């Protein structure tokens, strides 16, 4: 139940949102009937068509072009196992071509959970009395950051409920505090945000405190399902307001924006097309697509029946397809696989889906890092995570398979964001930076935080292998990286 103050805040904001929707300068880019027809028309793609699409997706990795909705629908309808393997291989090939064989690591940090909305799938929904909500004080936030930086984390996605206590001013205050904290050699260098949609002036304030990417997930692109999931008179119930959340962010000058869909609410094939139309609209209006794409899958949440009884729950097999198709569909975009998924499946999907970013050592209760030993505190969480491996164990598992763990934040800090970043990703040259900076940030981790087993494999296998890659592909960078590594060994940090 909302308090009178919460109700007043919500009503005032809702009136402003409805006014914005009336004046919205953009046309709805989701045509449900047309999309369903495309999926139906491409129900039985033949082998040659799929092989052609795969070949085109690989060419696109060098130009930044996206596949068409028809292509994506055809891929989503592939039944033949051998063809799936070809799609998976292409996904990994594209990922390596654009970003190299590195995985960028980050950590989610839930800062506030009270929320005026009532999303049917979410443990934090206002009517869910089984979950205790909490907004961190700045002192509690500092404790969380100390714990995260003492593990070696450098990049965060900070997450907020939609509530007067966590409005844009609170978002700004908490991010400023995060950047101000130094913990020995540790610090957070990049703060990305996952929060409710804002007005342009509010985005400007959030940009001014130095955020990285602003993420807003549409959850479902299907209008009728969106209505069912988000009650009418809630803020999140306003489809168009959310649909253009990131258009407003770009209008406000935020450099990088990120889209996502919550898989399990409606037919996954439709949601894939929705993501594509969203990326196409950002591209058309602003010339930059989505910096990353997220594909959270519905997970159990306390007292939230939809999470187990939705008719559209996605199987592991289909989930693997979703990740691989996203990689083929938008070759330049970062692909985020979260700890919602189980460890073995995550390991498998890195390769089969061409993933580029993952969280590790994650806790998602508000204040959860201060109680790090508890893997789950279900009555304080939005949902339940399946992968609770420590950051160090996670890194060890990456190293065993030959990936380069990276804490790199160099692109943002060198101004390679938005339309400066996109050409590099679109022409598959960004990896020339990614590998060198990945080596430098992994070296910091090895010197400052790693366990003996990670140190051993990191120093003896991973770093030499990737230096060799640089020698062969970007020799001038290899020389510079070696100089910077020496400086790191002498005590310098944050080299890029
Ligand atoms: N309140 C903000 C909003 O709605 O945009 C922040 C979002 S929420 C804290 C982060 C994301 O978690 C949501 O956008 C949704 O996609 C996802 N999520 C919500 N409930 C979930 C569940 N039961 N399982 C998995 N992911 C869920
Ligand atoms: Fe609130 Fe976001 Fe949960 Fe919806 S998904 S109830 S908006 S925290």
């Amino acid at each position: 139940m909302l308090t009178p103050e919460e109700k007043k805040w919500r009503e005032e904001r809702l009136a402003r949102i409805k006014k914005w929707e009336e004046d919205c300068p953009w046309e709805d880019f989701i045509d449900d009937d047309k999309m369903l027809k495309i999926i139906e028309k491409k129900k039985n793609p033949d082998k040659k068509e799929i092989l052609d699409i795969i070949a085109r997706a690989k060419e696109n990795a060098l130009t930044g072009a996206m596949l068409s909705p028809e292509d994506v629908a055809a891929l989503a309808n592939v039944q033949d196992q051998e063809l799936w393997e070809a799609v998976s291989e292409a996904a990994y090939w594209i990922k390596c071509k654009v970003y190299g064989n590195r995985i960028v690591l980050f950590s989610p940090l839930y800062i506030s959970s009270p929320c005026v909305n009532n999303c049917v799938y979410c443990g934090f929904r206002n009517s869910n009395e089984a979950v205790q909500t909490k907004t961190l004080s700045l002192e509690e936030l500092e404790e969380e950051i100390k714990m995260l930086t003492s593990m070696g984390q450098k990049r965060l996605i900070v997450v907020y409920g939609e509530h007067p206590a966590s409005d844009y001013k609170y978002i700004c205050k908490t991010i400023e505090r995060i950047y101000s904290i130094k913990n020995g050699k540790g610090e957070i260098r990049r703060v990305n945000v996952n929060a409710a949609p804002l007005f342009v002036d509010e985005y400007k304030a959030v940009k001014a405190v130095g955020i990285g990417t602003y993420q807003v997930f549409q959850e479902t692109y299907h209008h009728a399902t969106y209505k069912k999931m988000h009650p009418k008179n809630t803020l999140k119930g306003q489809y168009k307001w959310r649909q253009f959340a990131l258009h407003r962010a770009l209008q406000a000058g935020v450099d990088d924006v990120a889209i996502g869909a919550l898989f399990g609410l409606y037919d996954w094939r439709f949601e894939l097309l929705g993501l594509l139309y969203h990326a196409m609209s950002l591209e058309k209006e602003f010339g930059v697509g989505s910096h990353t794409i997220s594909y959270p899958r519905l997970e159990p949440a306390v007292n939230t029946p939809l999470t187990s009884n939705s008719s559209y729950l996605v199987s592991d097999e289909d989930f693997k397809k979703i990740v691989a198709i996203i990689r083929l569909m938008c070759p330049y975009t970062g692909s985020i696989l979260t700890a919602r998924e189980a460890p073995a499946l995550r390991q498998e999907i890195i390769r089969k889906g061409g993933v580029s970013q993952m969280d590790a050592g994650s806790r998602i209760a508000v204040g959860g890092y201060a109680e790090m030993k508890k893997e789950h505190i279900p009555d304080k969480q939005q949902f339940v995570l399946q992968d609770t491996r420590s950051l160090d164990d996670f890194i060890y598992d990456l190293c065993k398979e030959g990936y380069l763990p990276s804490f790199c934040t160099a692109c943002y800090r060198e101004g390679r964001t938005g339309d400066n970043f996109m050409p590099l990703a679109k022409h598959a040259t960004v990896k020339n930076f990614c590998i060198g900076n990945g080596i430098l940030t992994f070296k910091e981790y090895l010197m400052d935080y790693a366990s003996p087993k990670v140190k051993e494999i990191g120093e003896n296998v991973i770093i030499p292998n990737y230096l060799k890659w640089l020698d062969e592909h970007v020799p001038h960078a290899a020389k510079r990286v070696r100089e910077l590594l020496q400086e790191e060994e002498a005590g310098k940090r944050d080299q890029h």
Side-chain angles (χ1 to χ4, degrees):
M1 270 272 284
L2 295 180
T3 64
E5 293 75 38
E6 288 169 339
K7 208 165 176 191
K8 181 165 176 280
W9 183 82
R10 186 187 72 174
E11 295 318 313
E12 284 174 8
R13 202 161 172 86
L14 189 57
R16 281 182 73 198
I17 289 172
K18 286 188 170 163
K19 172 85 181 68
W20 184 89
E21 285 193 328
E22 276 169 27
D23 301 339
C24 173
W26 300 291
E27 284 294 312
D28 188 343
F29 51 79
I30 296 294
D31 180 338
D32 303 52
D33 289 343
K34 180 173 144 195
M35 286 156 67
L36 289 167
K37 276 188 195 133
I38 294 175
I39 295 169
E40 183 58 31
K41 193 173 106 200
K42 292 288 169 184
K43 213 168 180 176
N44 296 306
D46 68 27
K47 187 170 174 182
K48 179 168 179 316
E49 180 178 9
I50 297 299
L51 292 175
D52 284 351
I53 294 171
I54 293 174
R56 206 152 1 96
K58 284 173 139 184
E59 284 164 25
N60 289 350
L62 304 175
T63 64
M66 290 185 269
L67 291 179
S68 71
E70 287 74 14
D71 294 336
V72 171
L75 289 175
N77 280 315
V78 168
Q79 300 297 338
D80 178 320
Q81 195 49 38
E82 259 179 46
L83 277 181
W84 268 117
E85 272 153 36
V87 172
S88 277
E89 269 170 34
Y92 187 60
W93 184 92
I94 290 170
K95 188 262 164 143
C96 291
K97 195 83 195 155
V98 178
Y99 290 102
N101 206 1
R102 55 80 166 139
I103 296 286
V104 170
L105 298 168
F106 70 92
S107 190
L109 173 63
Y110 277 70
I111 298 189
S112 77
S113 49
C115 189
V116 296
N117 294 313
N118 248 323
C119 311
V120 180
Y121 44 83
C122 176
F124 292 160
R125 68 190 183 283
N126 190 268
S127 62
N128 189 8
E129 290 182 354
V131 165
Q132 302 167 33
T133 56
K134 183 175 170 63
T135 304
L136 291 181
S137 68
L138 292 180
E139 292 68 33
E140 288 166 327
L141 175 63
E142 193 147 341
E143 286 309 304
E144 296 286 283
I145 297 301
K146 290 215 164 116
M147 182 52 95
L148 285 160
T149 46
S150 65
M151 294 190 276
Q153 299 282 13
K154 298 281 188 283
R155 305 168 55 109
L156 297 182
I157 289 190
V158 289
V159 187
Y160 304 83
E162 185 163 22
H163 191 268
S166 57
D167 63 359
Y168 77 98
K169 290 184 188 149
Y170 174 82
I171 295 179
C172 291
K173 207 162 56 172
T174 46
I175 294 173
E176 278 176 323
R177 177 61 74 101
I178 292 171
Y179 281 131
S180 75
I181 298 168
K182 303 284 172 232
N183 181 12
K185 288 183 171 146
E187 66 193 344
I188 296 299
R189 297 178 184 156
R190 199 64 214 166
V191 180
N192 297 328
V193 179
N194 183 315
L198 301 177
F199 286 95
V200 169
D201 58 324
E202 297 171 335
Y203 281 121
K204 283 186 180 163
V206 176
K207 177 188 157 64
V209 298
I211 63 158
T213 309
Y214 203 100
Q215 290 186 334
V216 175
F217 302 158
Q218 189 64 22
E219 320 296 12
T220 173
Y221 287 92
H222 187 245
H223 286 84
T225 307
Y226 191 91
K227 246 187 185 164
K228 274 192 228 153
M229 298 297 149
H230 308 102
K232 191 162 175 247
N233 271 331
T234 60
L235 303 182
K236 196 149 162 183
Q238 316 310 306
Y239 183 102
K240 224 172 172 185
W241 167 249
R242 196 165 181 93
Q243 184 185 30
F244 294 107
L246 299 173
H247 290 61
R248 286 193 302 280
L250 287 168
Q251 235 182 3
V254 170
D255 295 311
D256 293 325
V257 296
I259 61 177
L262 179 55
F263 283 87
L265 302 180
Y266 187 61
D267 185 343
W268 60 267
R269 295 169 184 84
F270 185 93
E271 306 296 13
L272 277 179
L273 258 64
L275 288 167
L276 176 62
Y277 278 108
H278 200 162
M280 282 162 49
S281 174
L282 291 169
E283 188 74 57
K284 175 173 154 233
E285 303 292 343
F286 299 94
V288 288
S290 187
H291 190 68
T292 56
I293 297 186
S294 295
Y295 29 83
R297 183 162 60 148
L298 206 54
E299 295 295 333
V302 169
N303 191 29
T304 307
L306 182 89
T307 59
S308 55
N309 67 18
S310 165
S311 334
Y312 296 101
L313 293 180
V314 172
S315 68
D316 285 358
E317 283 314 302
D318 286 343
F319 189 66
K320 288 181 219 167
K321 295 177 184 173
I322 290 169
V323 185
I325 294 175
I326 287 174
R327 174 41 71 235
L328 266 61
M329 170 174 111
C330 292
Y332 59 82
T333 198
S335 164
I336 302 185
L337 175 61
T338 70
R340 286 177 179 84
E341 304 302 331
L345 185 65
R346 283 182 106 196
Q347 288 305 120
E348 185 184 348
I349 293 183
I350 299 177
R351 189 164 292 267
K352 292 199 169 160
V355 170
S356 59
Q357 297 194 22
M358 297 172 87
D359 59 326
S362 304
R363 297 290 181 269
I364 57 167
V366 178
Y369 292 103
E371 298 186 69
M372 197 63 203
K373 286 207 176 96
K374 294 187 193 158
E375 291 177 14
H376 306 284
I377 315 176
D379 64 349
K380 286 192 186 162
Q381 294 181 184
Q382 188 185 24
F383 52 86
V384 178
L385 289 184
Q386 296 198 50
D387 188 353
T388 52
R389 277 177 287 177
S390 71
L391 176 62
D392 198 71
D393 284 345
F394 183 84
I395 287 181
Y396 186 59
D397 290 342
L398 286 183
C399 291
K400 279 194 299 188
E401 296 191 20
Y403 302 112
L404 172 65
S406 169
F407 293 91
C408 181
T409 55
C411 275
Y412 306 104
R413 299 152 96 232
E414 295 277 348
R416 289 192 297 269
T417 56
D419 50 10
N420 288 319
F421 171 84
M422 279 297 168
L424 297 169
K426 287 179 177 171
H427 298 105
T429 48
V430 75
K431 65 177 173 298
N432 297 347
F433 297 98
C434 296
I435 298 296
N437 287 317
I439 293 173
L440 291 167
T441 54
F442 185 42
K443 176 76 177 177
E444 286 183 317
Y445 180 82
L446 293 174
M447 289 189 293
D448 298 339
Y449 308 100
S451 63
K453 69 180 181 193
V454 171
K455 259 192 185 132
E456 194 190 320
I457 192 167
E459 295 285 5
N460 297 331
V461 182
I462 300 297
I463 294 216
N465 280 354
Y466 284 91
L467 280 173
K468 189 164 162 252
W469 185 93
L470 279 183
D471 285 333
E472 286 162 9
H473 295 87
V474 218
H476 63 283
K479 183 166 171 283
R480 182 74 188 127
V481 169
R482 282 196 174 83
E483 287 163 10
L484 293 172
L485 282 172
Q486 276 183 0
E487 290 181 15
E488 284 188 348
E489 279 176 358
K492 268 201 168 181
R493 291 292 175 268
D494 198 12
Q495 307 276 55
H496 43 85

